[in-house]
Amino acid sequence: MSERDSSRPRSTRTRTVPYTGGTERRGPATMGQANMIRCVLRDDPVHINIYDVWPVPAGTRLEAVIDALRALVVRHEALRTTFPHASGTAPCEQVVAAEGEFTVTVLDHAELPPDGARYATTVARRARAGRFRLDREFPLRVSVVAQDGAPVFVAVTASHAATDGSALAVLREEWLTLLAGGTLPPVTALTPLGLAAEEAAPAGLRKSEASLRYWEQIIRTGPQAMFAEPRATGTDVRVPQLTLRSPRGAEALARVAERTGGLPSTVLLTAWCALIAHRTGQTTCVAAVPTSNRFLPRLARTVNTVSQDALLSLDVQVPSFDALLRKAWGAALNAYRHSQFDALRLWEMIGDTTYERGSHFARDIVFNDVSTLPATLAAATPAPDGPEPELSWGPDQVLPTRVLTFVHRTAPVLHLGMWVDPGLFTRDEAEAFVTGLVRLLEAAGTQDVPFTDLTEVTGVRPVGRDTGWTRVDGCWVSPPAVADALSQALGGLPVHVAADSPDTDAPLDTADPDTAPSDTAPSDTASEDRAGRHLTAFIASDGSPPTPEKAHAALMSALPGRPGLLAPRRYVIVQGPPAEADRSDGWLRQRILMEGTGRGRGDVT
């Protein structure tokens, strides 16, 4: 039988499974649920629905598989929860059922393909298609992959409004315990309704307000995108998966932790941030860290979606690895403490702040360390027996990020999954980046690593930017690209954009050589901002001139997907272009028709 034929089930049947024994409850949705509901209603289901594959122990009967699933549904309120809402509105309430039913699809094969786990993963991935009906649908789509009637894998696809990856890992662990005849302890983690009550209490509301202020500070002052460089284009990028498995990397990580006294997870985060900042030429590493909001014991094993980003902002302007490691734990803890917020208010704040700043916040790097969570299928894979480190490429996936890193294991194998924007990294460059991460850990395992040596130690070089790029207001910017984008947005009007001198407010004609890129560590002063530097846009008009407000609104609509653009702090509309349109002093001699910041929203039509 061919592999193609073996992937076709000889029979497919659906079992309806009733359950009873729960308690009916209702109450407000949690902040994490509201955050994911927003995504579920907006995003492509293939991108937002999550999945896992659970291997079935040999000799397990189908009825035992189904009985264990039924027990989990009764045990965890999130699996009995729906979100009623009127058509055209977003849910704000959750209802927990006391009883009900769910379905299990059984795919029985005469023979499974040689790589049965990969096939089961394909089954789970395919089931992501189709939006979950939040008001009535069971939040898991369960398929049992069987061979000759014997279950081999359970492919689970889940609504992100009810669970996250960590919750699926908890369910998998408990399900295996039940199949082994074990007894589960009472649930002590917060239920979704329990978390919602905490969030609505005065202390919870104060925590949410503090989170908004923390995020606003970063979004107002940090880089609008880590990957602001010539090759960074587009918003949703088709990204290939790169997997690294390395016992050598795990040993090096353990040596660094022993030498410095740092936690392995913090050491790895520090190394990753250092290398990202080095590659991008940034002085601050801003990264989303999704699993961090489970750092509290009462949330660590909750079966719920607590998918709210912690936003890490780590200043890498230090001389060495050890110095950065000393800062990293405090920065990470600060991020974790501010990962509970009202998502709708957060995005309203982001919209207002970025419009005022003239930026577009890009969640373009994500670091998701799931190594301390209950074992997943990825974590259970054996150590490589070939060359070190083992690198392999998997399927592409469309993601709204440029670099996404999953840490599956840190010992005895360092197991990372990475998705990197192919517009920024060729395959060779992506492999060199993850290999460079291992090399950095190996070097730091024996001694402190000066950041001036990062290129030599890791083999990873900073990105090249030509002299048209400069750092403005904490961001890498291309003033010529800003001018081109603004001109196009205004129907082709002549535009000149220049960086203001921090000392005189007089616009400079070119980027200052001191801010040009260099092959240095991220802490090198050559890549630091000049205090007070901003952009000024000169717009020439011989007819009906645009207002600064109209110019700003037009440019803001062009920012998404173009991280090298930052709106000018000042718009100066003049009577016609000068003869030397590439020189700021010529524009300054033109008659000024009007000028302003453009941040008001009155005249934007």
Side-chain angles (χ1 to χ4, degrees):
M1 178 181 294
S2 69
E3 181 173 345
R4 179 180 177 85
D5 291 337
S6 66
S7 65
R8 296 174 177 172
R10 65 182 179 185
S11 68
T12 300
R13 64 186 189 276
T14 300
R15 290 275 303 269
T16 298
V17 182
Y19 66 85
T20 186
T23 302
E24 183 174 352
R25 301 209 294 158
R26 70 172 55 223
T30 68
M31 292 179 181
Q33 288 172 332
N35 183 40
M36 295 316 303
I37 286 170
R38 172 179 169 273
C39 299
V40 167
L41 296 177
R42 178 198 63 193
D43 296 347
D44 186 331
V46 171
H47 300 163
I48 194 64
N49 293 338
I50 59 176
Y51 67 92
D52 198 7
V53 173
W54 304 346
V56 181
T60 303
R61 296 179 302 105
L62 177 62
E63 289 306 317
V65 168
I66 291 175
D67 287 345
L69 289 169
R70 181 190 288 112
L72 293 179
V73 172
V74 175
R75 175 177 171 83
H76 294 293
E77 292 187 355
L79 304 184
R80 297 182 277 114
T81 295
T82 53
F83 302 91
H85 60 286
S87 177
T89 66
C92 58
E93 183 184 40
Q94 56 180 313
V95 175
V96 181
E99 57 187 30
E101 61 185 29
F102 61 95
T103 61
V104 174
T105 301
V106 181
L107 307 174
D108 195 17
H109 301 71
E111 184 178 345
L112 288 177
D115 192 342
R118 182 183 293 273
Y119 167 67
T121 298
T122 300
V123 172
R125 287 170 60 89
R126 286 175 181 166
R128 293 176 301 167
R131 207 176 302 276
F132 276 90
R133 296 183 177 181
L134 299 174
D135 59 340
R136 68 185 79 128
E137 187 174 353
F138 182 68
L140 302 181
R141 296 169 183 163
V142 182
S143 297
V144 176
V145 177
Q147 179 172 312
D148 199 22
V152 181
F153 294 99
V154 172
V156 180
T157 304
S159 167
H160 219 329
T163 63
D164 54 23
S166 303
L168 287 182
V170 171
L171 290 174
R172 177 179 181 271
E173 183 187 67
E174 293 186 346
W175 178 78
L176 288 171
T177 298
L178 291 172
L179 290 184
T183 301
L184 298 178
V187 175
T188 57
L190 275 178
T191 64
L193 284 171
L195 178 57
E198 276 199 5
E199 293 172 342
L205 296 175
R206 289 194 298 270
K207 184 175 182 179
S208 178
E209 290 297 323
S211 296
L212 293 179
R213 292 192 298 271
Y214 169 86
W215 276 67
E216 181 177 357
Q217 175 66 18
I218 295 172
I219 290 167
R220 191 175 293 278
T221 60
Q224 66 167 336
M226 289 298 293
F227 286 95
E229 55 190 69
R231 294 191 291 176
T233 59
T235 49
D236 292 325
V237 183
R238 180 164 290 279
V239 181
Q241 179 183 351
L242 171 61
T243 299
L244 173 142
R245 292 190 301 155
S246 173
R248 198 179 79 199
E251 293 169 2
L253 178 59
R255 286 195 299 270
V256 182
E258 182 178 4
R259 183 181 68 79
T260 62
L263 295 173
S265 58
T266 308
V267 170
L268 185 58
L269 175 63
T270 302
W272 185 83
C273 286
L275 204 56
I276 286 283
H278 175 69
R279 162 60 178 75
T280 58
Q282 300 282 9
T283 58
T284 302
C285 183
V286 175
V289 192
T291 56
S292 56
N293 46 15
R294 287 180 175 264
F295 79 106
L296 296 173
R298 65 183 184 280
L299 292 177
R301 294 185 58 84
T302 183
V303 173
N304 184 13
T305 184
V306 289
S307 291
Q308 292 188 276
D309 284 344
L311 190 64
L312 174 72
S313 180
L314 180 59
D315 181 358
V316 300
Q317 296 177 98
V318 292
S320 67
F321 183 88
D322 287 7
L324 187 61
L325 179 59
R326 286 192 291 270
K327 296 174 64 174
W329 171 240
L333 188 60
N334 206 22
Y336 303 163
R337 287 171 173 165
H338 295 99
S339 60
Q340 179 180 307
F341 46 78
D342 182 325
L344 295 179
R345 288 191 59 202
L346 176 78
W347 283 103
E348 288 174 359
M349 178 276 292
I350 290 174
D352 291 343
T353 300
T354 52
Y355 196 88
E356 180 182 336
R357 188 185 186 194
S359 62
H360 178 78
F361 170 66
R363 183 184 180 268
D364 60 356
I365 65 169
V366 180
F367 185 86
N368 205 8
D369 188 345
V370 298
S371 63
T372 60
L373 302 176
T376 63
L377 183 63
T381 53
D385 54 8
E388 261 268 47
E390 180 189 84
L391 301 175
S392 60
W393 288 90
D396 291 359
Q397 186 170 346
V398 176
L399 295 173
T401 58
R402 301 198 187 275
V403 173
L404 167 63
T405 301
F406 267 82
V407 181
H408 295 294
R409 299 178 80 181
T410 58
V413 176
L414 179 61
H415 181 180
L416 306 179
M418 287 189 65
W419 290 257
V420 294
D421 183 347
L424 300 173
F425 297 84
T426 65
R427 289 207 169 193
D428 286 346
E429 289 171 332
E431 291 180 359
F433 183 88
V434 293
T435 302
L437 183 66
V438 173
R439 292 174 62 181
L440 176 56
L441 291 171
E442 288 181 319
T446 58
Q447 61 184 359
D448 192 9
V449 177
F451 279 161
T452 52
D453 296 344
L454 270 184
T455 297
E456 180 182 357
V457 168
T458 67
V460 176
R461 302 179 68 86
V463 65
R465 297 182 180 92
D466 61 34
T467 55
W469 286 76
T470 186
R471 283 178 59 86
V472 174
D473 192 23
C475 305
W476 276 108
V477 180
S478 171
V482 175
D484 289 345
L486 181 55
S487 175
Q488 293 175 19
L490 295 176
L493 290 179
V495 174
H496 175 71
V497 173
D500 294 337
S501 164
D503 300 321
T504 67
D505 283 339
L508 302 171
D509 287 315
T510 60
D512 192 302
D514 284 346
T515 62
S518 58
D519 185 12
T520 57
S523 58
D524 195 295
T525 55
S527 63
E528 295 175 10
D529 284 289
R530 293 293 187 88
R533 171 170 294 210
H534 300 292
L535 298 179
T536 295
F538 297 90
I539 304 168
S541 176
D542 289 319
S544 176
T547 63
E549 288 75 18
K550 182 176 181 179
H552 186 67
L555 181 58
M556 289 299 295
S557 67
L559 294 189
R562 303 178 68 181
L565 305 185
L566 190 71
R569 178 63 60 92
R570 198 162 46 123
Y571 297 87
V572 181
I573 293 86
V574 302
Q575 184 70 52
E580 295 183 285
D582 60 341
R583 294 192 57 83
S584 298
D585 54 0
W587 287 85
L588 287 169
R589 288 192 291 269
Q590 300 301 100
R591 184 165 73 88
I592 296 176
L593 302 178
M594 66 184 83
E595 62 181 308
T597 66
R599 269 54 176 178
R601 298 185 189 239
D603 183 8
V604 296
T605 58

